[in-house]
Amino acid sequence: MKKKLVSILLAGTLLLSALTGCGGAGDTGSSSSSDNSGDTSSSATSSEEYKFGKIDIPALDGSLCGAPIYIAYEKGFFAEEGIQANLTAADFETRKIGLNNGNVPFVNGDFQFFSSAEQGIDMKVIGGMHYGCIKLIVRNDSDLPAVTTDPESLKGLKIGVDEVGGTTFQVASVWLEENGVSAKQEDGEATFLPYSDGNLELEALYNGDIDVAAVWDPLGDIAAASGKAKVLVDISKDEPFAGKYCCFYYASTKVLNENPDEIRALYNAVLKAQKWINENPDEALDLIVKGNYSEVEDKDLAKQLIVDYEYETPETEGTHDVKGDVLYFAKELKNIGYLEGDPEEFTNNLYQSLK
């Protein structure tokens, strides 16, 4: 979450700056509807046949890790749950406002949503999605350690991110803090440089303008395959992120209170899709490419990425400590100054199991 030089919709992936390399993470700008206005399942052909009617789901962002929503649409899992799904593109602000007022019942996104929740956006985490889709990379000649007992060796680093305050910034900040280095900019122990274009960030790394690049998949793998860089931290596998979901499903509290069956149906659909992806990664990629959800030029790499994400399934629902992961990231974000309140109280307010 590997070994060939590829491009998996770099444009879409590089836009993953507003939310989370995961569905919420990459937004294309203003809200817009997909050419696909409904589910492809033959079991339901008119809006009257859907129990929950037509539901807009902001999911079109070009990210590969958002595959479950694409597959739930393509395989008819939304239709099976009584939903006429309409996949749309929407920016971060539109998603937040929609969750708050109930116009957006359900989205996927990472822990960058947490600060919005603390600021009063009325949403709940209802389940986990997958392990991480961000990597910290360094030049091949770098001797930086992923974990160190000597924080002085990491002080003064210049770190590239997509935006200061964004998810890659937060990941790099957590890594620094776990290694005993302050990520607070006022302390001056590290410098963060934003690059809206990930290709420019890679060039800055190769040229020595930065020491570390925090990038969304698949850029880390592309850099490693080029022979110019190596992966320092893969948050799907490496500490301090190993074994933790970075991305979650969020529900509008308003819809959850007024129509919990609708939220349960939406969640059931993506769980079915996640199980299907885990069992059929090659076929899943074929559907993603055919539907123009994400451009896949190296299928082997893309397959490895979605396998590494280890999506939750109907069978594993409830076995992973999703609430514990929310609490972990709440504590870390509090530590780097992006949450203000008590992490445990925050987690208790944000997380709501559907079981």
Side-chain angles (χ1 to χ4, degrees), residues 8 21 32 38 69 120 135 157 162 202 216 234 282 284 305 326 345:
I8 303 179
S32 62
I69 293 181
K135 294 181 176 70
L157 290 178
D162 54 9
L202 291 183
W216 296 96
D234 176 346
D282 291 303
L305 287 173
V326 173
E345 181 179 352

Side-chain angles (χ1 to χ4, degrees), residues 13-170:
T13 306
L14 299 179
L15 286 172
L16 301 181
S17 61
L19 241 157
T20 100
C22 302
D27 297 306
T28 57
S30 60
S31 177
S32 62
S33 177
S34 160
D35 289 337
N36 301 319
S37 60
D39 224 297
T40 60
S41 171
S42 60
S43 63
T45 58
S46 68
S47 59
E48 292 79 9
E49 297 179 32
Y50 295 91
K51 178 180 178 180
F52 300 106
K54 184 177 179 179
I55 297 177
D56 292 339
I57 304 172
L60 301 178
D61 55 33
S63 66
L64 184 64
C65 58
I69 293 181
Y70 316 148
I71 297 302
Y73 178 92
E74 291 289 341
K75 292 298 294 180
F77 297 134
F78 284 125
E80 288 179 7
E81 294 293 330
I83 297 161
Q84 184 183 16
N86 181 45
L87 306 190
T88 68
D91 62 22
F92 186 37
E93 291 302 313
T94 301
R95 294 175 192 229
K96 290 195 306 181
I97 294 169
L99 282 169
N100 196 56
N101 62 27
N103 290 336
V104 173
F106 179 84
V107 298
N108 61 297
D110 59 45
F111 46 81
Q112 195 185 357
F113 256 138
F114 287 13
S115 61
S116 299
E118 186 175 60
Q119 293 164 11
I121 299 298
D122 207 1
M123 66 179 85
K124 299 290 184 184
V125 168
I126 58 170
M129 189 179 186
H130 63 71
Y131 296 134
C133 47
I134 292 172
K135 294 181 176 70
L136 305 183
I137 61 173
V138 295
R139 291 182 299 281
N140 257 347
D141 60 358
S142 172
D143 57 1
L144 284 177
V147 179
T148 181
T149 57
D150 178 23
E152 292 297 323
S153 66
L154 299 183
K155 288 184 179 179
L157 290 178
K158 295 179 181 178
I159 302 175
V161 295
D162 54 9
E163 63 173 338
V164 174
T167 310
T168 59
F169 169 86
Q170 292 175 355

